[in-house]
Amino acid sequence: MPFITTPDGVEIYYTEQGSGQPIVLSHGWPLSSDAWQVELKRFADAGYRTIAHDRRGHGRSEKTYTGNDMDTYARDLAAVIEALDLHDVILVGHSTGGGEVVRYAAQYGQAQGRVAKVITAGAVPPLMVRTEANPDGLPIDVFDGIRANVLKDRSQFWRDLSESFFGANHGRAVSQGDKDDFWRQGMLVNLAAAYDCVKAFSETDFTEDLKALTVPILIAQGDDDQIVPIGDAALKSIKLVKDGTLKVYEGAPHGIQGDYQDKLDADILEWIKQ
């Protein structure tokens, strides 16, 4: 299997398909590059070199105890892109991965001239947790509860979380296979990484990263996202970027699945061509 080694010695797994301008995909928590299997094929079929990696601690990457924070995730993404010597990159990030690609682009990719465009879907920026500066955010108790459930019985928690993740509890058609695959990917994360990543995605403030972006960004999100509330995410992020396009999907959940996936992928390919 293909791996790159980060500057701090962690092995990061990646997979790629196709050839052409590179599209690099960053997955959400607690998933892996497997979450992008449909996009890997669709985007490769459309003429792009499509690459997805497993975040440290997730999937087939090294099971890490340290470095499970957004700054390190962004450095790991930089290591993947530099190891593969990618240029004119289109970055796509879902959920936690949206924060990862925004931070990478703002702090690494633009300065190196490697990034052409950024796309986020259901992404955590600008900031999820409630603070004095972010009074509309979710209370810290929400994230403490997530950590407690991960620590207590992560296997059952992934099963329970799949319901709201894909919107099955709101009547969306979600197969048992999709729910099972969410559970499968969640069980590949080592506990320390899953636990620490909650702080990374909820308490990292991406406000200055969004303001610093000079490349075009497509900010996509479903308006029935039960995991990352759209009012705290896409609707705030679009006001902070210089060259942004907002796309809201009526009734769509957090997880990229079903008709939402079909529409999002088509819109991504169309927007890239603009």
Side-chain angles (χ1 to χ4, degrees), residues 88-92 101-102 105 110 115-120 210 212-219 238 241-246 271-272 274:
D88 200 26
V89 175
I90 299 157
L91 295 169
V92 182
V101 300
V102 164
Q110 289 181 153
V115 178
K117 292 184 175 183
V118 177
I119 299 154
T120 64
L210 290 163
L213 287 179
T214 58
V215 297
I217 179 171
L218 172 64
I219 300 172
I238 193 63
V241 296
K242 297 179 177 68
D243 186 2
T245 300
L246 175 66
W271 185 78
I272 287 172
Q274 296 175 9

Side-chain angles (χ1 to χ4, degrees), residues 7 14 35 41 62-63 83 97 105 141 154 177 199 201 245 247 273:
Y14 72 93
K41 175 170 170 48
E62 188 170 334
K63 301 300 185 268
D141 291 351
R154 67 190 188 282
K199 180 180 179 67
F201 71 65
T245 300
K247 182 72 175 179
K273 297 175 185 176

Side-chain angles (χ1 to χ4, degrees), residues 4-231:
I4 68 98
T5 303
T6 67
D8 64 339
V10 173
E11 288 196 326
I12 300 293
Y13 169 86
Y14 72 93
T15 183
E16 65 173 293
Q17 295 180 17
S19 59
Q21 183 180 8
I23 297 178
V24 175
L25 305 157
S26 290
H27 62 80
W29 177 89
L31 304 175
S32 70
S33 60
D34 286 352
W36 295 116
Q37 282 297 313
V38 172
E39 287 70 28
L40 281 161
K41 175 170 170 48
R42 281 181 174 168
F43 296 167
D45 288 348
Y48 296 93
R49 180 184 179 187
T50 312
I51 300 159
H53 70 291
D54 293 353
R55 188 170 299 117
R56 66 168 56 204
H58 297 62
R60 285 139 294 200
S61 288
E62 188 170 334
K63 301 300 185 268
T64 48
Y65 177 69
T66 60
N68 303 302
D69 59 82
M70 199 58 66
D71 286 338
T72 306
Y73 296 159
R75 285 196 295 270
D76 289 350
L77 179 56
V80 171
I81 290 173
E82 290 166 19
L84 299 178
D85 195 24
L86 304 178
H87 298 272
D88 200 26
V89 175
I90 299 157
L91 295 169
V92 182
H94 172 237
S95 194
T96 300
E100 180 180 293
V101 300
V102 164
R103 176 143 295 184
Y104 164 76
Q107 300 190 12
Y108 297 89
Q110 289 181 153
Q112 298 171 351
R114 291 185 182 271
V115 178
K117 292 184 175 183
V118 177
I119 299 154
T120 64
V124 295
L127 176 62
M128 287 192 71
V129 74
R130 181 182 298 165
T131 65
E132 288 187 10
N134 187 45
D136 298 326
L138 295 171
I140 191 66
D141 291 351
V142 171
F143 305 107
D144 288 342
I146 293 172
R147 278 184 281 261
N149 281 310
V150 167
L151 193 60
K152 180 182 178 181
D153 186 351
R154 67 190 188 282
S155 181
Q156 187 59 50
F157 183 61
W158 302 142
R159 294 197 185 280
D160 295 341
L161 184 60
S162 70
E163 298 291 326
S164 56
F165 189 89
F166 292 120
N169 62 332
H170 282 189
R172 281 184 59 84
V174 183
S175 70
Q176 189 61 48
D178 280 333
K179 296 175 188 178
D180 288 349
D181 196 45
F182 180 91
W183 174 87
R184 178 189 66 84
Q185 292 183 60
M187 290 304 291
L188 292 175
V189 188
N190 70 304
L191 185 57
Y195 189 96
D196 291 349
C197 190
V198 178
K199 180 180 179 67
F201 71 65
S202 65
E203 297 183 43
T204 303
D205 190 340
F206 299 94
T207 300
E208 296 307 315
D209 298 302
L210 290 163
K211 290 179 178 178
L213 287 179
T214 58
V215 297
I217 179 171
L218 172 64
I219 300 172
Q221 189 162 13
D223 67 2
D224 193 31
D225 189 328
Q226 300 172 68
I227 308 301
V228 179
I230 190 171

